[in-house]
Amino acid sequence: MVKNHQRPPFRAEHMGSLLRPQKLSEKRVELDGKDAIAITQDKELQSLEDEAINDIVKVQLNLGYHPVTDGEYRRHQFWGTFFPGLEGFEEISDPPLDMFRLYVPDLAAFTEAGHKPGESIVCTGKIKHKGSTYIDQWNYLKSRLPADRIKEAKITLPAPEWYHLRYQNGRAYPKDVYANDAEYFADIATAYRTELKVLYDAGCRNITIDDPNLAYFCSEKMLSGFATAGESATALFDSYITLYNACLSDRPPDLHVGIHLCRGNFAYSRHFSEGGYDRVANKLFNAINADTYFLEYDTERAGGFEPLEHLPAHKNVIVGVITSKFPELEDLEEMRQRVFEAADYVAKGAGQTREEALKRMGVSPQCGFASHHLGNSVTREDMIAKLKLVRELANSIWPGEP
């Protein structure tokens, strides 16, 4: 029987990114235009990041959070610099539009508004891990925490298919380097396994992979785009599941891995897609070898809780019923009832009682507060109020539990 992984996850969670102080955001804007790796090496920026991280770690601890993060303050956007830090990837500044699947929701949003696609990192040669771009982030966070809290702290990683879905079939890599997706994915998976080992050896035991791409497969608009292009979205989704499992194949049993799905959380609270989890739930929950699913559930865009019936009895779900996009506070009792409704579907699918299902659940905002360094349309005070509400909601359902 497969063991259920607990502590992590925790009853009160957040996704990782937190609003940056104004000085830090202004410095980031000043550095716009430089490539992602060069920005991370700016000494003034590093000093501002240190100061901000010292503060936000204390804020999280004071609010009663156990999965503490560095707010992702050293990243320009939530995915950070994993891919440009690999051998075989390069950032290109003016990519041709015909290389993109323009029906992928975030690309569609940018191009339909007359903007270029966001940061474009492309494979140009054989992919190889040449040193972690996250290890310094982890080590600094670790240095800010009491020794007994290090195993609870969280770091987030980008989706392994992040720079694959966005590109047209055959355009994610040169054909003289990789003959097909399977070869390309094999080297991506090797790089991920190396990254996970580096972080694990440094004491990390709690990782969440941020993956809006998987939620995009719930989008009718994107699926229609695939059909028009004569491609199978189902086959591609299945190949991503295989990729995930290859990435996670060597992980130790005490390394908690979560997957976070949302429908976009760009600067100033912008979303990119909509659609319930019905289309992906069975494979998402049962075929990927992850422990916990962090799911967006703050608006009708995410659909109902019915797909949670597919969650197997050894896995966890964190329901993101509090929004990070806007400042208005949700009603505590209404949120309690929503969590209980979700628990009833989890229980039904696993043949459990509500009380048993709740032992595998937690609550959170639906996404981060600053997936992009410019942040959502909320203030620091709004963010703290939301985090307090999440903690209060958790305390009201699971009193005395972290």
Side-chain angles (χ1 to χ4, degrees):
M1 183 176 178
V2 183
K3 186 176 181 292
N4 176 248
H5 201 299
Q6 289 291 324
R7 309 294 187 271
F10 298 92
R11 302 308 184 199
E13 292 268 355
H14 71 82
M15 291 307 99
S17 71
L18 298 166
L19 280 182
R20 291 153 177 79
Q22 186 175 350
K23 285 191 299 183
L24 180 53
S25 292
E26 288 173 351
K27 183 61 182 177
R28 275 276 177 188
V29 171
E30 181 185 318
L31 294 170
D32 276 354
K34 293 188 177 183
D35 70 64
I37 297 294
I39 289 174
T40 65
Q41 297 168 349
D42 185 274
K43 296 300 183 185
E44 183 184 350
L45 179 67
Q46 290 174 0
S47 177
L48 290 169
E49 290 167 346
D50 289 351
E51 180 183 339
I53 291 167
N54 295 347
D55 172 69
I56 204 63
V57 166
K58 292 176 183 175
V59 168
Q60 293 169 81
L61 291 172
N62 290 340
L63 289 173
Y65 279 81
H66 286 253
V68 173
T69 76
D70 66 357
E72 299 179 4
Y73 284 175
R74 300 197 194 276
R75 306 184 187 186
H76 64 315
Q77 297 193 56
F78 67 88
W79 58 83
T81 50
F82 175 74
F83 286 98
L86 297 176
E87 186 176 308
F89 276 95
E90 293 181 14
E91 184 173 354
I92 54 176
S93 57
D94 195 20
L97 281 181
D98 66 0
M99 75 181 294
F100 296 99
R101 290 182 170 117
L102 296 179
Y103 44 85
V104 171
D106 55 329
L107 296 172
F110 283 121
T111 55
E112 288 169 5
H115 301 297
K116 294 179 181 179
E119 178 189 76
S120 294
I121 309 293
V122 297
C123 173
T124 57
K126 287 286 287 183
I127 298 164
K128 185 178 180 181
H129 194 283
K130 59 179 183 179
S132 173
T133 61
Y134 295 138
I135 188 62
D136 289 345
Q137 297 175 22
W138 168 253
N139 283 335
Y140 190 83
L141 172 61
K142 188 170 69 170
S143 75
R144 302 294 95 188
L145 291 168
D148 62 340
R149 300 294 294 272
I150 291 171
K151 66 181 183 296
E152 301 174 339
K154 177 163 66 177
I155 191 166
T156 61
L157 297 180
E161 81 286 5
W162 187 245
Y163 285 111
H164 184 271
L165 176 65
R166 62 187 358 239
Y167 300 128
Q168 290 279 8
N169 188 25
R171 299 293 294 274
Y173 47 82
K175 282 294 186 183
D176 61 344
V177 177
Y178 294 109
N180 50 50
D181 282 354
E183 290 185 5
Y184 169 82
F185 289 156
D187 280 354
I188 292 285
T190 299
Y192 259 80
R193 291 194 298 269
T194 302
E195 182 71 31
L196 291 175
K197 185 178 188 309
V198 169
L199 292 169
Y200 183 87
D201 288 347
C204 182
R205 296 294 183 270
N206 188 10
I207 284 170
T208 296
I209 299 173
D210 281 320
D211 197 345
N213 281 354
L214 294 183
Y216 291 167
F217 283 87
C218 304
S219 163
E220 187 63 47
K221 186 175 181 180
M222 188 182 88
L223 297 179
S224 295
F226 270 103
T228 300
E231 288 192 76
S232 170
T234 300
L236 188 62
F237 188 83
D238 289 348
S239 75
Y240 290 163
I241 290 175
T242 300
L243 171 59
Y244 258 94
N245 289 336
C247 291
L248 301 175
S249 62
D250 290 346
R251 70 174 173 123
D254 62 337
L255 176 62
H256 171 259
V257 174
I259 300 177
H260 168 228
L261 278 72
C262 79
R263 288 150 184 79
N265 192 48
F266 195 61
Y268 311 120
S269 303
R270 182 170 185 176
H271 73 278
F272 293 130
S273 72
E274 56 187 52
Y277 297 101
D278 314 65
R279 288 187 175 91
V280 301
N282 189 20
K283 292 177 181 178
L284 176 70
F285 298 152
N286 289 282
I288 299 180
N289 296 325
D291 301 302
T292 302
Y293 298 88
F294 297 81
L295 302 181
E296 171 185 348
Y297 266 121
D298 63 326
T299 70
E300 294 179 356
R301 282 194 299 272
F305 293 123
E306 291 86 351
L308 297 180
E309 288 186 19
H310 292 286
L311 188 75
H314 65 282
K315 292 191 177 184
N316 310 299
V317 63
I318 309 299
V319 286
V321 293
I322 306 295
T323 190
S324 66
K325 291 184 184 295
F326 304 108
E328 293 77 18
L329 289 175
E330 291 83 354
D331 180 81
L332 180 65
E333 185 54 36
E334 286 181 13
M335 294 304 101
R336 278 171 50 84
Q337 294 308 314
R338 293 204 72 205
V339 174
F340 293 146
E341 180 187 355
D344 287 342
Y345 283 107
V346 172
K348 181 180 178 182
Q352 296 179 328
T353 64
R354 176 191 284 185
E355 290 68 29
E356 289 171 328
L358 284 169
K359 292 177 181 177
R360 299 186 288 119
M361 296 178 65
V363 292
S364 71
Q366 96 294 347
C367 197
F369 289 87
S371 301
H372 185 283
H373 70 84
L374 292 175
N376 287 356
S377 297
V378 294
T379 65
R380 176 184 169 94
E381 291 72 25
D382 295 331
M383 176 182 72
I384 290 174
K386 290 280 184 170
L387 292 171
K388 284 181 177 177
L389 179 59
V390 170
R391 185 66 263 182
E392 289 169 7
L393 176 58
N395 290 346
S396 74
I397 298 172
W398 302 278
E401 297 189 35

